[in-house]
Amino acid sequence: MNNTRFATVIHILSLLDCNPEEWLSSEWIANSININAVIVRKELGMLQEQGLVISRKGKDGGSQLAKPSTVVMLSDIYALVKNAAILGKKNQNPNPKCPVGKEMNNKLDLLSTEMDALVMESLKNKSLADFSKQFR
Amino acid sequence: MNNTRFATVIHILSLLDCNPEEWLSSEWIANSININAVIVRKELGMLQEQGLVISRKGKDGGSQLAKPSTVVMLSDIYALVKNAAILGKKNQNPNPKCPVGKEMNNKLDLLSTEMDALVMESLKNKSLADFSKQFR
DNA sequence: ACTATATGTAATAATAATTGTTACATATTA
DNA sequence: TAATATGTAACAATTATTATTACATATAGT
């Protein structure tokens, strides 16, 4: 993970959780994160598809959480944005004629899967509510 | 981690461990990984500085492990190449005037540190010897 | 000493991934 | 119908990663 998507998404969700009555606009959210509003809208679109957020168009539109933050786990959020193994990428074409090269990617996959599972298990014990209450 | 450094370095070390009597050249190693030899030499240089490998220049030169693979832990290797937090980067300048923006990066750091420690602890229990014996 | 061969490293190019920007269609409320 | 917000495509800019070229330096064997 060499991108800011987890940070951005958890920031968005924390803002929504801290302002449960409001319909927060993408501009307002973007101003808190200090990034471009289009990026926020893209993440909000993704969060809607996943059922975590509801958005309204038009005047006085904006977004809210679609369900209680107590049932949204950080593992859910991580799974949405994760795009790389913790241990990084494999090399694409190790030499199949070499006994090490031939099996390396299989063995790396095993190790990677184990590390990924470890982190997911830990994040399953943390809710969005736990996280966002730190800001109040 | 969106790069191949862990995969490359553990591949290099596995080859050295599987050929303990030989002085493996960077070209030979590069051929097994199927990447450019200069990249291998850069990693070998780093591994020498860290005391994991010894290299010899000149004809019949090459590299060998500097110590038994039973005492090299995967956590050591991971620490050498890790360049990003597991949960990714933070946004650079969240808005300090927003209660969420103001504290977000501190809280993300806490969470990140916890996840990083989890993975490191697990990798501390795995030696290079454990890993490389899978190829024999 | 000379040749062959290997590391060490700088400089640069190429590629890929990520983030930011502009523009505008569409929807909604008052 | 005016104001305001989302939705999204297209593209630009930036950053990160990997590959390549070139050559200095070291070493072994003849």
PDB file of all heavy atoms in Angstrom, chain C residues 15-27:
ATOM      1  P    DT C  15       9.222   2.098 -22.406  1.00  0.00           P
ATOM      2  OP1  DT C  15       9.167   0.828 -23.134  1.00  0.00           O
ATOM      3  OP2  DT C  15       8.693   3.361 -22.964  1.00  0.00           O
ATOM      4  O5'  DT C  15       8.514   1.861 -21.004  1.00  0.00           O
ATOM      5  C5'  DT C  15       9.034   0.856 -20.134  1.00  0.00           C
ATOM      6  C4'  DT C  15       8.277   0.907 -18.832  1.00  0.00           C
ATOM      7  O4'  DT C  15       8.643   2.082 -18.084  1.00  0.00           O
ATOM      8  C3'  DT C  15       6.753   0.951 -18.977  1.00  0.00           C
ATOM      9  O3'  DT C  15       6.309  -0.203 -18.303  1.00  0.00           O
ATOM     10  C2'  DT C  15       6.344   2.261 -18.304  1.00  0.00           C
ATOM     11  C1'  DT C  15       7.499   2.501 -17.352  1.00  0.00           C
ATOM     12  N1   DT C  15       7.777   3.886 -16.922  1.00  0.00           N
ATOM     13  C2   DT C  15       7.916   4.130 -15.567  1.00  0.00           C
ATOM     14  O2   DT C  15       7.784   3.259 -14.729  1.00  0.00           O
ATOM     15  N3   DT C  15       8.210   5.424 -15.242  1.00  0.00           N
ATOM     16  C4   DT C  15       8.387   6.475 -16.116  1.00  0.00           C
ATOM     17  O4   DT C  15       8.648   7.581 -15.685  1.00  0.00           O
ATOM     18  C5   DT C  15       8.235   6.160 -17.517  1.00  0.00           C
ATOM     19  C7   DT C  15       8.407   7.236 -18.531  1.00  0.00           C
ATOM     20  C6   DT C  15       7.943   4.895 -17.847  1.00  0.00           C
ATOM     21  P    DA C  16       4.714  -0.552 -18.251  1.00  0.00           P
ATOM     22  OP1  DA C  16       4.595  -2.036 -18.281  1.00  0.00           O
ATOM     23  OP2  DA C  16       3.968   0.289 -19.209  1.00  0.00           O
ATOM     24  O5'  DA C  16       4.362  -0.067 -16.785  1.00  0.00           O
ATOM     25  C5'  DA C  16       5.179  -0.480 -15.696  1.00  0.00           C
ATOM     26  C4'  DA C  16       4.648   0.146 -14.439  1.00  0.00           C
ATOM     27  O4'  DA C  16       5.040   1.538 -14.360  1.00  0.00           O
ATOM     28  C3'  DA C  16       3.134   0.122 -14.313  1.00  0.00           C
ATOM     29  O3'  DA C  16       2.881  -0.335 -12.997  1.00  0.00           O
ATOM     30  C2'  DA C  16       2.709   1.578 -14.561  1.00  0.00           C
ATOM     31  C1'  DA C  16       3.915   2.333 -14.020  1.00  0.00           C
ATOM     32  N9   DA C  16       4.188   3.654 -14.578  1.00  0.00           N
ATOM     33  C8   DA C  16       4.203   4.031 -15.897  1.00  0.00           C
ATOM     34  N7   DA C  16       4.525   5.301 -16.085  1.00  0.00           N
ATOM     35  C5   DA C  16       4.738   5.774 -14.797  1.00  0.00           C
ATOM     36  C6   DA C  16       5.100   7.036 -14.296  1.00  0.00           C
ATOM     37  N6   DA C  16       5.334   8.099 -15.078  1.00  0.00           N
ATOM     38  N1   DA C  16       5.216   7.186 -12.954  1.00  0.00           N
ATOM     39  C2   DA C  16       4.989   6.108 -12.179  1.00  0.00           C
ATOM     40  N3   DA C  16       4.634   4.868 -12.523  1.00  0.00           N
ATOM     41  C4   DA C  16       4.529   4.773 -13.863  1.00  0.00           C
ATOM     42  P    DA C  17       1.418  -0.631 -12.450  1.00  0.00           P
ATOM     43  OP1  DA C  17       1.461  -1.917 -11.712  1.00  0.00           O
ATOM     44  OP2  DA C  17       0.436  -0.418 -13.538  1.00  0.00           O
ATOM     45  O5'  DA C  17       1.248   0.526 -11.380  1.00  0.00           O
ATOM     46  C5'  DA C  17       2.272   0.719 -10.413  1.00  0.00           C
ATOM     47  C4'  DA C  17       1.959   1.962  -9.625  1.00  0.00           C
ATOM     48  O4'  DA C  17       2.251   3.135 -10.411  1.00  0.00           O
ATOM     49  C3'  DA C  17       0.498   2.083  -9.186  1.00  0.00           C
ATOM     50  O3'  DA C  17       0.536   2.331  -7.801  1.00  0.00           O
ATOM     51  C2'  DA C  17      -0.043   3.256 -10.025  1.00  0.00           C
ATOM     52  C1'  DA C  17       1.215   4.082 -10.279  1.00  0.00           C
ATOM     53  N9   DA C  17       1.252   4.870 -11.509  1.00  0.00           N
ATOM     54  C8   DA C  17       0.946   4.461 -12.776  1.00  0.00           C
ATOM     55  N7   DA C  17       1.111   5.392 -13.694  1.00  0.00           N
ATOM     56  C5   DA C  17       1.556   6.481 -12.972  1.00  0.00           C
ATOM     57  C6   DA C  17       1.910   7.795 -13.343  1.00  0.00           C
ATOM     58  N6   DA C  17       1.885   8.234 -14.601  1.00  0.00           N
ATOM     59  N1   DA C  17       2.319   8.641 -12.365  1.00  0.00           N
ATOM     60  C2   DA C  17       2.357   8.195 -11.093  1.00  0.00           C
ATOM     61  N3   DA C  17       2.046   7.000 -10.616  1.00  0.00           N
ATOM     62  C4   DA C  17       1.645   6.183 -11.623  1.00  0.00           C
ATOM     63  P    DT C  18      -0.778   2.502  -6.906  1.00  0.00           P
ATOM     64  OP1  DT C  18      -0.461   2.024  -5.553  1.00  0.00           O
ATOM     65  OP2  DT C  18      -1.966   1.994  -7.633  1.00  0.00           O
ATOM     66  O5'  DT C  18      -0.893   4.078  -6.854  1.00  0.00           O
ATOM     67  C5'  DT C  18       0.217   4.832  -6.364  1.00  0.00           C
ATOM     68  C4'  DT C  18      -0.090   6.297  -6.504  1.00  0.00           C
ATOM     69  O4'  DT C  18      -0.045   6.681  -7.888  1.00  0.00           O
ATOM     70  C3'  DT C  18      -1.461   6.727  -5.987  1.00  0.00           C
ATOM     71  O3'  DT C  18      -1.215   7.543  -4.859  1.00  0.00           O
ATOM     72  C2'  DT C  18      -2.109   7.454  -7.178  1.00  0.00           C
ATOM     73  C1'  DT C  18      -0.909   7.782  -8.059  1.00  0.00           C
ATOM     74  N1   DT C  18      -1.143   7.905  -9.532  1.00  0.00           N
ATOM     75  C2   DT C  18      -0.783   9.076 -10.158  1.00  0.00           C
ATOM     76  O2   DT C  18      -0.315  10.031  -9.579  1.00  0.00           O
ATOM     77  N3   DT C  18      -0.996   9.089 -11.516  1.00  0.00           N
ATOM     78  C4   DT C  18      -1.527   8.058 -12.290  1.00  0.00           C
ATOM     79  O4   DT C  18      -1.653   8.200 -13.501  1.00  0.00           O
ATOM     80  C5   DT C  18      -1.879   6.857 -11.565  1.00  0.00           C
ATOM     81  C7   DT C  18      -2.441   5.700 -12.312  1.00  0.00           C
ATOM     82  C6   DT C  18      -1.664   6.841 -10.239  1.00  0.00           C
ATOM     83  P    DT C  19      -2.378   8.193  -3.994  1.00  0.00           P
ATOM     84  OP1  DT C  19      -1.811   8.453  -2.661  1.00  0.00           O
ATOM     85  OP2  DT C  19      -3.628   7.431  -4.173  1.00  0.00           O
ATOM     86  O5'  DT C  19      -2.547   9.601  -4.737  1.00  0.00           O
ATOM     87  C5'  DT C  19      -1.445  10.491  -4.785  1.00  0.00           C
ATOM     88  C4'  DT C  19      -1.808  11.695  -5.628  1.00  0.00           C
ATOM     89  O4'  DT C  19      -1.988  11.301  -7.003  1.00  0.00           O
ATOM     90  C3'  DT C  19      -3.108  12.382  -5.204  1.00  0.00           C
ATOM     91  O3'  DT C  19      -2.758  13.700  -4.805  1.00  0.00           O
ATOM     92  C2'  DT C  19      -3.996  12.317  -6.453  1.00  0.00           C
ATOM     93  C1'  DT C  19      -2.969  12.137  -7.566  1.00  0.00           C
ATOM     94  N1   DT C  19      -3.432  11.451  -8.809  1.00  0.00           N
ATOM     95  C2   DT C  19      -3.242  12.064 -10.021  1.00  0.00           C
ATOM     96  O2   DT C  19      -2.737  13.170 -10.128  1.00  0.00           O
ATOM     97  N3   DT C  19      -3.671  11.356 -11.107  1.00  0.00           N
ATOM     98  C4   DT C  19      -4.256  10.098 -11.104  1.00  0.00           C
ATOM     99  O4   DT C  19      -4.594   9.567 -12.151  1.00  0.00           O
ATOM    100  C5   DT C  19      -4.422   9.498  -9.793  1.00  0.00           C
ATOM    101  C7   DT C  19      -5.042   8.135  -9.684  1.00  0.00           C
ATOM    102  C6   DT C  19      -4.010  10.189  -8.721  1.00  0.00           C
ATOM    103  P    DG C  20      -3.859  14.804  -4.467  1.00  0.00           P
ATOM    104  OP1  DG C  20      -3.254  15.757  -3.523  1.00  0.00           O
ATOM    105  OP2  DG C  20      -5.144  14.142  -4.157  1.00  0.00           O
ATOM    106  O5'  DG C  20      -3.994  15.532  -5.877  1.00  0.00           O
ATOM    107  C5'  DG C  20      -2.852  16.170  -6.429  1.00  0.00           C
ATOM    108  C4'  DG C  20      -3.253  16.899  -7.704  1.00  0.00           C
ATOM    109  O4'  DG C  20      -3.648  15.936  -8.704  1.00  0.00           O
ATOM    110  C3'  DG C  20      -4.433  17.852  -7.529  1.00  0.00           C
ATOM    111  O3'  DG C  20      -4.047  19.111  -8.082  1.00  0.00           O
ATOM    112  C2'  DG C  20      -5.575  17.201  -8.311  1.00  0.00           C
ATOM    113  C1'  DG C  20      -4.837  16.373  -9.342  1.00  0.00           C
ATOM    114  N9   DG C  20      -5.508  15.155  -9.809  1.00  0.00           N
ATOM    115  C8   DG C  20      -5.926  14.089  -9.049  1.00  0.00           C
ATOM    116  N7   DG C  20      -6.458  13.130  -9.769  1.00  0.00           N
ATOM    117  C5   DG C  20      -6.386  13.591 -11.069  1.00  0.00           C
ATOM    118  C6   DG C  20      -6.818  12.992 -12.288  1.00  0.00           C
ATOM    119  O6   DG C  20      -7.335  11.900 -12.454  1.00  0.00           O
ATOM    120  N1   DG C  20      -6.554  13.820 -13.373  1.00  0.00           N
ATOM    121  C2   DG C  20      -5.958  15.054 -13.304  1.00  0.00           C
ATOM    122  N2   DG C  20      -5.793  15.711 -14.454  1.00  0.00           N
ATOM    123  N3   DG C  20      -5.558  15.626 -12.183  1.00  0.00           N
ATOM    124  C4   DG C  20      -5.799  14.839 -11.111  1.00  0.00           C
ATOM    125  P    DT C  21      -5.032  20.342  -8.022  1.00  0.00           P
ATOM    126  OP1  DT C  21      -4.203  21.572  -7.980  1.00  0.00           O
ATOM    127  OP2  DT C  21      -6.070  20.086  -7.005  1.00  0.00           O
ATOM    128  O5'  DT C  21      -5.719  20.279  -9.454  1.00  0.00           O
ATOM    129  C5'  DT C  21      -4.888  20.309 -10.610  1.00  0.00           C
ATOM    130  C4'  DT C  21      -5.760  20.343 -11.848  1.00  0.00           C
ATOM    131  O4'  DT C  21      -6.310  19.030 -12.082  1.00  0.00           O
ATOM    132  C3'  DT C  21      -6.951  21.303 -11.759  1.00  0.00           C
ATOM    133  O3'  DT C  21      -6.730  22.299 -12.739  1.00  0.00           O
ATOM    134  C2'  DT C  21      -8.181  20.414 -12.020  1.00  0.00           C
ATOM    135  C1'  DT C  21      -7.583  19.184 -12.677  1.00  0.00           C
ATOM    136  N1   DT C  21      -8.268  17.882 -12.438  1.00  0.00           N
ATOM    137  C2   DT C  21      -8.686  17.152 -13.523  1.00  0.00           C
ATOM    138  O2   DT C  21      -8.555  17.530 -14.678  1.00  0.00           O
ATOM    139  N3   DT C  21      -9.275  15.947 -13.207  1.00  0.00           N
ATOM    140  C4   DT C  21      -9.475  15.418 -11.947  1.00  0.00           C
ATOM    141  O4   DT C  21     -10.008  14.335 -11.796  1.00  0.00           O
ATOM    142  C5   DT C  21      -9.018  16.250 -10.853  1.00  0.00           C
ATOM    143  C7   DT C  21      -9.185  15.771  -9.458  1.00  0.00           C
ATOM    144  C6   DT C  21      -8.438  17.423 -11.142  1.00  0.00           C
ATOM    145  P    DT C  22      -7.728  23.553 -12.894  1.00  0.00           P
ATOM    146  OP1  DT C  22      -6.893  24.675 -13.355  1.00  0.00           O
ATOM    147  OP2  DT C  22      -8.554  23.676 -11.682  1.00  0.00           O
ATOM    148  O5'  DT C  22      -8.671  23.103 -14.092  1.00  0.00           O
ATOM    149  C5'  DT C  22      -8.073  22.504 -15.240  1.00  0.00           C
ATOM    150  C4'  DT C  22      -9.161  22.015 -16.177  1.00  0.00           C
ATOM    151  O4'  DT C  22      -9.627  20.715 -15.761  1.00  0.00           O
ATOM    152  C3'  DT C  22     -10.398  22.916 -16.253  1.00  0.00           C
ATOM    153  O3'  DT C  22     -10.596  23.235 -17.620  1.00  0.00           O
ATOM    154  C2'  DT C  22     -11.522  22.060 -15.661  1.00  0.00           C
ATOM    155  C1'  DT C  22     -11.025  20.655 -15.923  1.00  0.00           C
ATOM    156  N1   DT C  22     -11.493  19.607 -14.984  1.00  0.00           N
ATOM    157  C2   DT C  22     -11.921  18.401 -15.495  1.00  0.00           C
ATOM    158  O2   DT C  22     -11.956  18.160 -16.692  1.00  0.00           O
ATOM    159  N3   DT C  22     -12.317  17.489 -14.556  1.00  0.00           N
ATOM    160  C4   DT C  22     -12.322  17.652 -13.182  1.00  0.00           C
ATOM    161  O4   DT C  22     -12.692  16.749 -12.449  1.00  0.00           O
ATOM    162  C5   DT C  22     -11.859  18.935 -12.713  1.00  0.00           C
ATOM    163  C7   DT C  22     -11.827  19.209 -11.240  1.00  0.00           C
ATOM    164  C6   DT C  22     -11.472  19.833 -13.623  1.00  0.00           C
ATOM    165  P    DA C  23     -11.752  24.254 -18.095  1.00  0.00           P
ATOM    166  OP1  DA C  23     -11.250  24.890 -19.325  1.00  0.00           O
ATOM    167  OP2  DA C  23     -12.219  25.067 -16.959  1.00  0.00           O
ATOM    168  O5'  DA C  23     -12.913  23.238 -18.495  1.00  0.00           O
ATOM    169  C5'  DA C  23     -12.576  22.076 -19.247  1.00  0.00           C
ATOM    170  C4'  DA C  23     -13.824  21.231 -19.399  1.00  0.00           C
ATOM    171  O4'  DA C  23     -13.932  20.328 -18.271  1.00  0.00           O
ATOM    172  C3'  DA C  23     -15.118  22.037 -19.440  1.00  0.00           C
ATOM    173  O3'  DA C  23     -15.852  21.651 -20.586  1.00  0.00           O
ATOM    174  C2'  DA C  23     -15.841  21.673 -18.155  1.00  0.00           C
ATOM    175  C1'  DA C  23     -15.286  20.288 -17.865  1.00  0.00           C
ATOM    176  N9   DA C  23     -15.311  19.896 -16.459  1.00  0.00           N
ATOM    177  C8   DA C  23     -15.018  20.663 -15.364  1.00  0.00           C
ATOM    178  N7   DA C  23     -15.137  20.037 -14.217  1.00  0.00           N
ATOM    179  C5   DA C  23     -15.530  18.755 -14.582  1.00  0.00           C
ATOM    180  C6   DA C  23     -15.826  17.602 -13.827  1.00  0.00           C
ATOM    181  N6   DA C  23     -15.757  17.559 -12.504  1.00  0.00           N
ATOM    182  N1   DA C  23     -16.189  16.500 -14.509  1.00  0.00           N
ATOM    183  C2   DA C  23     -16.258  16.552 -15.853  1.00  0.00           C
ATOM    184  N3   DA C  23     -16.007  17.576 -16.668  1.00  0.00           N
ATOM    185  C4   DA C  23     -15.643  18.655 -15.958  1.00  0.00           C
ATOM    186  P    DC C  24     -17.125  22.564 -21.033  1.00  0.00           P
ATOM    187  OP1  DC C  24     -17.050  22.668 -22.503  1.00  0.00           O
ATOM    188  OP2  DC C  24     -17.249  23.772 -20.190  1.00  0.00           O
ATOM    189  O5'  DC C  24     -18.319  21.581 -20.682  1.00  0.00           O
ATOM    190  C5'  DC C  24     -18.227  20.207 -21.086  1.00  0.00           C
ATOM    191  C4'  DC C  24     -19.196  19.396 -20.260  1.00  0.00           C
ATOM    192  O4'  DC C  24     -18.691  19.210 -18.935  1.00  0.00           O
ATOM    193  C3'  DC C  24     -20.584  20.036 -20.089  1.00  0.00           C
ATOM    194  O3'  DC C  24     -21.563  19.050 -20.310  1.00  0.00           O
ATOM    195  C2'  DC C  24     -20.577  20.450 -18.648  1.00  0.00           C
ATOM    196  C1'  DC C  24     -19.800  19.276 -18.070  1.00  0.00           C
ATOM    197  N1   DC C  24     -19.395  19.420 -16.656  1.00  0.00           N
ATOM    198  C2   DC C  24     -19.412  18.283 -15.848  1.00  0.00           C
ATOM    199  O2   DC C  24     -19.727  17.190 -16.340  1.00  0.00           O
ATOM    200  N3   DC C  24     -19.099  18.400 -14.532  1.00  0.00           N
ATOM    201  C4   DC C  24     -18.757  19.593 -14.042  1.00  0.00           C
ATOM    202  N4   DC C  24     -18.458  19.663 -12.743  1.00  0.00           N
ATOM    203  C5   DC C  24     -18.719  20.771 -14.853  1.00  0.00           C
ATOM    204  C6   DC C  24     -19.038  20.638 -16.146  1.00  0.00           C
ATOM    205  P    DA C  25     -22.902  19.415 -21.155  1.00  0.00           P
ATOM    206  OP1  DA C  25     -22.515  19.540 -22.573  1.00  0.00           O
ATOM    207  OP2  DA C  25     -23.626  20.514 -20.489  1.00  0.00           O
ATOM    208  O5'  DA C  25     -23.756  18.088 -20.992  1.00  0.00           O
ATOM    209  C5'  DA C  25     -23.107  16.808 -21.091  1.00  0.00           C
ATOM    210  C4'  DA C  25     -23.615  15.875 -20.008  1.00  0.00           C
ATOM    211  O4'  DA C  25     -23.003  16.214 -18.739  1.00  0.00           O
ATOM    212  C3'  DA C  25     -25.130  15.943 -19.785  1.00  0.00           C
ATOM    213  O3'  DA C  25     -25.649  14.616 -19.700  1.00  0.00           O
ATOM    214  C2'  DA C  25     -25.273  16.697 -18.483  1.00  0.00           C
ATOM    215  C1'  DA C  25     -24.008  16.278 -17.736  1.00  0.00           C
ATOM    216  N9   DA C  25     -23.554  17.231 -16.729  1.00  0.00           N
ATOM    217  C8   DA C  25     -23.241  18.557 -16.910  1.00  0.00           C
ATOM    218  N7   DA C  25     -22.862  19.163 -15.811  1.00  0.00           N
ATOM    219  C5   DA C  25     -22.926  18.169 -14.844  1.00  0.00           C
ATOM    220  C6   DA C  25     -22.653  18.173 -13.460  1.00  0.00           C
ATOM    221  N6   DA C  25     -22.228  19.238 -12.793  1.00  0.00           N
ATOM    222  N1   DA C  25     -22.829  17.019 -12.793  1.00  0.00           N
ATOM    223  C2   DA C  25     -23.252  15.933 -13.464  1.00  0.00           C
ATOM    224  N3   DA C  25     -23.545  15.809 -14.763  1.00  0.00           N
ATOM    225  C4   DA C  25     -23.358  16.975 -15.398  1.00  0.00           C
ATOM    226  P    DT C  26     -27.256  14.421 -19.534  1.00  0.00           P
ATOM    227  OP1  DT C  26     -27.559  13.099 -20.086  1.00  0.00           O
ATOM    228  OP2  DT C  26     -27.943  15.641 -20.003  1.00  0.00           O
ATOM    229  O5'  DT C  26     -27.430  14.343 -17.965  1.00  0.00           O
ATOM    230  C5'  DT C  26     -26.869  13.241 -17.246  1.00  0.00           C
ATOM    231  C4'  DT C  26     -27.259  13.388 -15.791  1.00  0.00           C
ATOM    232  O4'  DT C  26     -26.582  14.529 -15.221  1.00  0.00           O
ATOM    233  C3'  DT C  26     -28.744  13.606 -15.562  1.00  0.00           C
ATOM    234  O3'  DT C  26     -29.218  12.615 -14.671  1.00  0.00           O
ATOM    235  C2'  DT C  26     -28.846  15.009 -14.967  1.00  0.00           C
ATOM    236  C1'  DT C  26     -27.462  15.151 -14.331  1.00  0.00           C
ATOM    237  N1   DT C  26     -26.989  16.541 -14.146  1.00  0.00           N
ATOM    238  C2   DT C  26     -26.552  16.909 -12.907  1.00  0.00           C
ATOM    239  O2   DT C  26     -26.527  16.144 -11.963  1.00  0.00           O
ATOM    240  N3   DT C  26     -26.123  18.217 -12.805  1.00  0.00           N
ATOM    241  C4   DT C  26     -26.105  19.165 -13.807  1.00  0.00           C
ATOM    242  O4   DT C  26     -25.709  20.295 -13.589  1.00  0.00           O
ATOM    243  C5   DT C  26     -26.587  18.716 -15.097  1.00  0.00           C
ATOM    244  C7   DT C  26     -26.611  19.662 -16.242  1.00  0.00           C
ATOM    245  C6   DT C  26     -27.005  17.440 -15.197  1.00  0.00           C
ATOM    246  P    DA C  27     -30.769  12.469 -14.328  1.00  0.00           P
ATOM    247  OP1  DA C  27     -31.082  11.030 -14.227  1.00  0.00           O
ATOM    248  OP2  DA C  27     -31.555  13.363 -15.198  1.00  0.00           O
ATOM    249  O5'  DA C  27     -30.818  13.062 -12.854  1.00  0.00           O
ATOM    250  C5'  DA C  27     -29.999  12.464 -11.855  1.00  0.00           C
ATOM    251  C4'  DA C  27     -30.097  13.280 -10.592  1.00  0.00           C
ATOM    252  O4'  DA C  27     -29.484  14.573 -10.802  1.00  0.00           O
ATOM    253  C3'  DA C  27     -31.529  13.546 -10.131  1.00  0.00           C
ATOM    254  O3'  DA C  27     -31.584  13.177  -8.766  1.00  0.00           O
ATOM    255  C2'  DA C  27     -31.733  15.053 -10.327  1.00  0.00           C
ATOM    256  C1'  DA C  27     -30.303  15.584 -10.232  1.00  0.00           C
ATOM    257  N9   DA C  27     -30.004  16.809 -10.978  1.00  0.00           N
ATOM    258  C8   DA C  27     -30.165  17.026 -12.325  1.00  0.00           C
ATOM    259  N7   DA C  27     -29.773  18.226 -12.713  1.00  0.00           N
ATOM    260  C5   DA C  27     -29.321  18.823 -11.549  1.00  0.00           C
ATOM    261  C6   DA C  27     -28.783  20.096 -11.283  1.00  0.00           C
ATOM    262  N6   DA C  27     -28.592  21.026 -12.222  1.00  0.00           N
ATOM    263  N1   DA C  27     -28.440  20.383 -10.001  1.00  0.00           N
ATOM    264  C2   DA C  27     -28.627  19.446  -9.073  1.00  0.00           C
ATOM    265  N3   DA C  27     -29.126  18.213  -9.195  1.00  0.00           N
ATOM    266  C4   DA C  27     -29.462  17.969 -10.471  1.00  0.00           C
TER     267       DA C  27
END
